[in-house]
Amino acid sequence: MIHVVGHKNPDTDTICSALAVAELLKQRKLDAKAYRQGELNPETKFVLEKFSIDTPKIIEDAENKDVFLVDHSDKTQSVDNLDKANLIGIVDHHKLGDITTSMPLEFWAMPVGCSCTVIKAMYDFYKVNISKNIAGIMLCAILSDTVLFKSPTTTDLDKKTAEELAKIANVDDMTKLAMDMFNKKSDIEGKSMTELIFRDYKDFLMNEKKIGVGQLEVIDISVFDKIKDDLFEELQKIKDEGRNSVLLLLTDIMKEGSQLLCVSDNPQIIEKAFNVKLENNKAWLNGVMSRKKQVIPNLEKAFL
Ligand SMILES: [Mn+2]
């Protein structure tokens, strides 16, 4: 059986992509099932409930399994023992990571705003119809990853694909659906610092240094004012586990920018990466909404 799975600390795109690819593989008469690596965030829970889709089961080890990866190609974000798995395929829209294979595989990657945009192209390629509920969660993934088409990662294909999926899913107000989702992720009441930081967090290896980058997208970042000291304390703990730097982006969906919180052994490299001066380990990054397009490339260049 093919285990379809996205990255650790799963977001809406990674979960919905695993479900959509597993469904496509089944339609292609292959035995496949979606899995997840970690707990669902409140936005993803809302999306699966809305379209009546069951939560995928957890996968912890890839050894001797047939695996199809979605939404990543970096080992640090993938399942343990991936090198002992049989990698069947990858669908992604990030930078190419460090995963390699010894066998030929199906590999779909496009520089678009969402993995589900690529997956829609796969459905079209195989001439497979998308069910109403799968179309609904794929649409939500696009709205989430592109932040309702505001993220600079958004392409015309994402917009066109979202329109097509909305028609199949019978969604007549995409903006309302997106705002319902963003309200879910803006509710941080009662959440622990660990849960918040790891909700959408990725580790990267840059010049042999481990760099962690988390991101929280909310409608108004003033919700974090009262807990910033606690966030910093937790960031320091995560850094002390053997990382060179840990960054947290507090992204304001309405102001279309992010406040950067950072603890680092090399703060001057972080300043160089974003061309800013850190004040009390913080800086406002105007217009920065996308980790993959506006944050990781800058960091990789600065850490070279
Ligand atoms: Mn994605």
Side-chain angles (χ1 to χ4, degrees):
M1 195 203 34
I2 304 174
H3 300 67
V4 188
V5 64
H7 55 74
K8 290 197 162 85
N9 304 313
D11 60 4
T12 297
D13 183 27
T14 240
I15 295 290
C16 298
S17 290
L19 288 159
V21 166
E23 190 55 40
L24 173 62
L25 294 172
K26 277 190 255 173
Q27 298 291 329
R28 285 164 61 193
K29 307 282 179 251
L30 296 160
D31 189 17
K33 206 169 168 177
Y35 286 84
R36 66 187 158 96
Q37 298 193 71
E39 293 312 308
L40 298 189
N41 70 38
E43 178 193 74
T44 313
K45 260 185 214 154
F46 164 79
V47 167
L48 296 191
E49 267 164 36
K50 184 165 178 73
F51 291 97
S52 313
I53 303 258
D54 289 339
T55 302
K57 291 207 166 55
I58 295 256
I59 183 171
E60 274 164 353
D61 196 295
E63 190 170 353
N64 295 328
K65 293 189 175 93
D66 288 341
V67 175
F68 200 121
L69 299 180
V70 298
D71 205 32
H72 72 291
S73 66
D74 278 278
K75 283 184 200 162
T76 54
Q77 297 162 21
S78 206
V79 197
D80 291 350
N81 283 322
L82 189 71
D83 45 352
K84 293 176 193 144
N86 176 29
L87 194 52
I88 305 282
I90 301 178
V91 183
D92 199 13
H93 68 129
H94 294 85
K95 75 178 180 72
L96 191 56
D98 53 1
I99 288 169
T100 55
T101 65
S102 48
M103 294 281 281
L105 79 166
E106 184 171 348
F107 186 53
W108 294 76
M110 286 162 83
V112 292
C114 179
S115 288
C116 279
T117 301
V118 184
I119 296 165
K120 172 68 165 63
M122 294 165 69
Y123 271 89
D124 292 347
F125 177 83
Y126 288 108
K127 298 193 170 62
V128 170
N129 287 327
I130 306 179
S131 72
K132 182 171 170 276
N133 289 346
I134 292 289
I137 62 169
M138 288 171 74
L139 169 64
C140 289
I142 296 178
L143 297 173
S144 173
D145 257 24
T146 66
V147 196
L148 187 54
F149 314 120
K150 285 187 194 189
S151 168
T153 57
T154 311
T155 65
D156 287 344
L157 186 61
D158 295 302
K159 292 181 193 162
K160 181 175 160 269
T161 303
E163 301 271 342
E164 290 170 7
L165 291 169
K167 238 177 241 162
I168 302 167
N170 267 331
V171 170
D172 44 24
D173 193 344
M174 273 195 245
T175 306
K176 182 177 180 302
L177 177 57
M179 289 315 283
D180 287 346
M181 290 163 53
F182 299 158
N183 272 313
K184 294 284 169 200
K185 50 177 160 191
S186 300
D187 182 14
I188 61 155
E189 232 13 75
K191 303 285 188 290
S192 74
M193 298 307 119
T194 323
E195 189 198 324
L196 288 175
I197 294 169
F198 284 109
R199 186 180 276 179
D200 180 7
Y201 173 95
K202 290 175 182 173
D203 276 318
F204 297 87
L205 274 181
M206 298 187 189
N207 209 358
E208 286 162 29
K209 295 181 180 73
K210 197 168 176 181
I211 315 285
V213 186
Q215 182 173 26
L216 288 164
E217 293 166 322
V218 294
I219 292 172
D220 178 357
I221 59 165
S222 69
V223 296
F224 298 114
D225 287 351
K226 275 186 278 179
I227 60 164
K228 230 162 257 177
D229 289 344
D230 300 331
L231 284 172
F232 267 116
E233 202 177 301
E234 192 60 35
L235 290 173
Q236 185 64 45
K237 275 188 209 154
I238 298 164
K239 182 188 162 299
D240 290 343
E241 287 163 8
R243 293 172 178 86
N244 172 282
S245 308
V246 182
L247 284 69
L248 181 64
L249 295 156
L250 304 177
T251 301
D252 194 306
I253 294 171
M254 291 306 170
K255 294 197 187 87
E256 301 191 22
S258 299
Q259 184 178 45
L260 169 69
L261 312 188
C262 133
V263 289
S264 176
D265 289 337
N266 304 100
Q268 72 291 350
I269 297 184
I270 310 287
E271 291 185 326
K272 189 178 87 181
F274 300 106
N275 196 18
V276 289
K277 202 99 211 104
L278 290 167
E279 278 174 47
N280 299 320
N281 300 315
K282 294 190 287 270
W284 173 253
L285 308 178
N286 210 23
V288 169
M289 298 184 78
S290 165
R291 174 172 48 200
K292 75 171 73 63
K293 197 161 179 171
Q294 296 168 298
V295 174
I296 301 308
N298 302 40
L299 286 173
E300 291 208 310
K301 221 166 114 193
F303 271 98
L304 260 186

